[in-house]
Amino acid sequence: MSINDKKIFKLGELFCGPGGLALGAISATIKDPDYKIIHKWANDYDLDTCNTYRKNICPNNPETVIYKDVRKLDIEPLGDIDALAFGFPCNDFSVVGEQKGFNGEYGPLYTYGVNVLKKYQPLWFLAENVGGLKSANEGKAFEKIKKDLINAGYKIYPNLYKFEEYGVPQARHRIIIVGIRDDLPCTFKIPSTKPYKHIDVSCKTAIEIPPIKKNVANNELTKQSKKVIERLSYIKPGQNAFTANIPKHLQLNVKGAKISQIYKKLDPSKPAYTVTGSGGGGTHMYHYKENRALTNRERARLQTFPDDYVFEGSKESVRKQIGMAVPVKGARIIFEAILNTFAGIEYESMEAHEQ
C-alpha cells in the first residue's frame, strides 16, 4: 500500500517557458505505471513561448496555457492542482549580471508561486532557479525564499543540481527546491548521480548521434560575417576569443571583463558549457569543428529536447526559449524521484542534502 492514495497529479505551472519542465513531468515514469503527472494549466508572459508549449505539451487544450504577465494573472479561476512547478525568472539572481536580487524587477516574482501554493495547497511543488541564487543579497535572498515556502505549509528539499552529473550533455547548475506539503508522511530524497556515471555526456555525441535530419525544424544556420568566420578559424576547441592565438586585426577590443564564453568553441570531449538565451555577438555557442555558431536544434539537443519538439517564433525568439528552459532529462529524473516518494518506492538517493 502506498503512503498516499493520489496517483495522478494535475500539474500547474507558472513561468512555464517552452516546456522543459513540463515534458520532463509528463514523460516521468516509475515501476508503478499508475503514478503519473498530467498537465492542468500553465502561464508565461511571452507569446512565442506559450505557443511552443501549446504545440508540444497540450495541442488539444491550447486554452490551458495562459499568456499573461504573472503580476496581472488572476489565480482564482485557474483550477485545483495537485502539484505546482515554477522556474521563477532568474535574471536578478544569475552570477552573470549585477545580482540585484530582491532589489531588481524580477526578484520578488517567486512570491506569485507562493501565492498559488497558499491558495491551492498542492501536495508538492518544484521550484527552479540559477545557482547564483545562493549568493544573491549575501545569501539573504535564498534564506527568505526558503522561509516563505516553509511558511506556506511545506517541507522543503533544496539542492544544487549539476545536470551534467545526471546524464545531460551540458554543464548547467541549478538550484531546485522540491516541497512536500507538511501534513503528508513523505520525505523526498535527492536522486543519486551514480546511475548516470557511465553515460557519455560529451557535446559531440549529443549533437552528432543520431545525426540531425536535414528537414528537422529549428535547424537554420546563423549567418556569420567573413571576419567572424576568420576569427573562429584561429580558435581551437575549448578556447575562446581571449585564450586563442588570434592575429591582431581579428582580436576583440574589449576593456575590463573578458567573458570566457565569447566566441568559445565547444570541447567535443566534454559537456557543453551552459546554454544561454540572450547576448550579442560571440555568445551563440560555437561548434567544435566547424567555424560557425550552433543551430537552435543543436542547442536544443544539449538541453535534451527531442528533435520532434518544435519551437515557435523567430530564430532569436527560439534561441531565447531554449536557453531559458530546464533540461528535459534532468527534470524527468527529479519528477520520477517525486513519484517514487509518493508511491513509497525506494530509489537510489544522495545520503545528505543541504537544508
Side-chain angles (χ1 to χ4, degrees):
M1 181 68 185
S2 75
I3 51 178
N4 195 282
D5 292 335
K6 195 82 184 173
K7 294 184 177 181
I8 297 175
F9 301 92
K10 299 190 297 284
L11 179 71
E13 262 195 280
L14 297 178
F15 320 105
C16 64
L21 276 176
L23 186 58
I26 63 176
S27 61
T29 54
I30 60 170
K31 281 178 186 170
D32 186 335
D34 291 338
Y35 281 82
K36 59 183 77 155
I37 303 164
I38 59 171
H39 160 80
K40 177 75 183 286
W41 52 257
N43 160 252
D44 201 276
Y45 75 111
D46 181 78
L47 183 57
D48 288 340
T49 297
C50 288
N51 286 336
T52 296
Y53 191 106
R54 288 171 180 136
K55 185 181 188 78
N56 296 279
I57 302 298
C58 53
N60 299 324
N61 305 97
E63 74 287 349
T64 59
V65 182
I66 303 135
Y67 161 50
K68 189 165 273 212
D69 186 323
V70 73
R71 290 167 288 199
K72 296 170 185 167
L73 178 69
D74 181 5
I75 66 171
E76 292 295 323
L78 290 173
D80 282 343
I81 47 171
D82 306 302
L84 175 71
F86 58 114
F88 53 101
C90 59
N91 312 50
D92 286 336
F93 296 131
S94 180
V95 276
V96 179
E98 298 174 43
Q99 283 209 331
K100 292 174 185 170
F102 276 86
N103 304 318
E105 183 186 351
Y106 295 101
L109 289 186
Y110 81 92
T111 59
Y112 292 87
V114 174
N115 291 343
V116 172
L117 292 177
K118 285 178 176 172
K119 173 166 176 55
Y120 289 108
Q121 286 286 291
L123 304 176
W124 55 268
F125 72 80
L126 184 151
E128 178 263 348
N129 205 278
V130 291
L133 174 60
K134 271 192 172 176
S135 51
N137 295 81
E138 293 88 45
K140 290 177 194 159
F142 191 42
E143 290 309 311
K144 170 87 169 95
I145 289 167
K146 289 195 291 185
K147 190 176 171 185
D148 286 353
L149 292 168
I150 290 167
N151 288 341
Y154 291 84
K155 301 172 283 192
I156 62 166
Y157 305 89
N159 187 53
L160 180 67
Y161 289 82
K162 297 180 177 178
F163 282 120
E164 67 273 28
E165 295 178 357
Y166 288 92
V168 173
Q170 179 195 170
R172 193 178 190 92
H173 300 169
R174 291 292 183 268
I175 285 176
I176 288 181
I177 305 169
V178 170
I180 294 181
R181 211 170 65 197
D182 57 18
D183 62 331
L184 298 172
C186 309
T187 303
F188 179 77
K189 294 177 187 157
I190 309 301
S192 172
T193 58
K194 277 185 189 169
Y196 312 98
K197 283 272 188 277
H198 303 296
I199 290 177
D200 180 355
V201 288
S202 70
C203 58
K204 182 177 190 287
T205 298
I207 287 169
E208 294 186 11
I209 299 172
I212 295 173
K213 290 178 181 169
K214 286 277 186 283
N215 60 346
V216 77
N218 311 119
N219 200 36
E220 312 87 346
L221 289 169
T222 301
K223 291 186 176 73
Q224 267 106 197
S225 68
K226 281 184 181 176
K227 189 172 184 179
V228 166
I229 294 167
E230 194 183 351
R231 182 182 293 128
L232 287 169
S233 72
Y234 288 94
I235 299 173
K236 293 174 181 166
Q239 291 184 334
N240 64 49
F242 306 110
T243 57
N245 188 9
I246 298 174
K248 194 156 181 56
H249 73 285
L250 294 171
Q251 287 175 11
L252 296 176
N253 241 331
V254 177
K255 289 177 182 170
K258 293 183 176 178
I259 299 173
S260 65
Q261 292 188 6
I262 297 290
Y263 292 109
K264 183 172 183 178
K265 281 193 174 178
L266 295 171
D267 181 332
S269 65
K270 293 180 179 173
Y273 53 91
T274 306
V275 178
T276 56
S278 58
T283 61
H284 283 64
M285 302 194 85
Y286 293 86
H287 201 278
Y288 40 85
K289 188 168 64 181
E290 298 171 26
N291 297 319
R292 62 170 179 85
L294 295 189
T295 68
N296 277 326
R297 181 52 56 193
E298 289 168 334
R299 294 165 79 254
R301 278 200 171 187
L302 299 176
Q303 287 276 54
T304 59
F305 281 96
D307 286 355
D308 60 1
Y309 202 94
V310 177
F311 296 86
E312 296 284 311
S314 68
K315 195 158 63 172
E316 266 309 299
S317 171
V318 170
R319 178 190 170 210
K320 182 180 164 193
Q321 291 174 52
I322 293 168
M324 289 171 67
V326 178
V328 177
K329 181 174 184 177
R332 187 173 71 236
I333 289 165
I334 300 167
F335 283 120
E336 286 176 349
I338 293 170
L339 289 177
N340 278 321
T341 300
F342 274 83
I345 297 171
E346 283 295 315
Y347 59 93
E348 205 166 342
S349 63
M350 302 286 200
E351 282 307 305
H353 71 269
E354 189 181 339
Q355 187 75 14

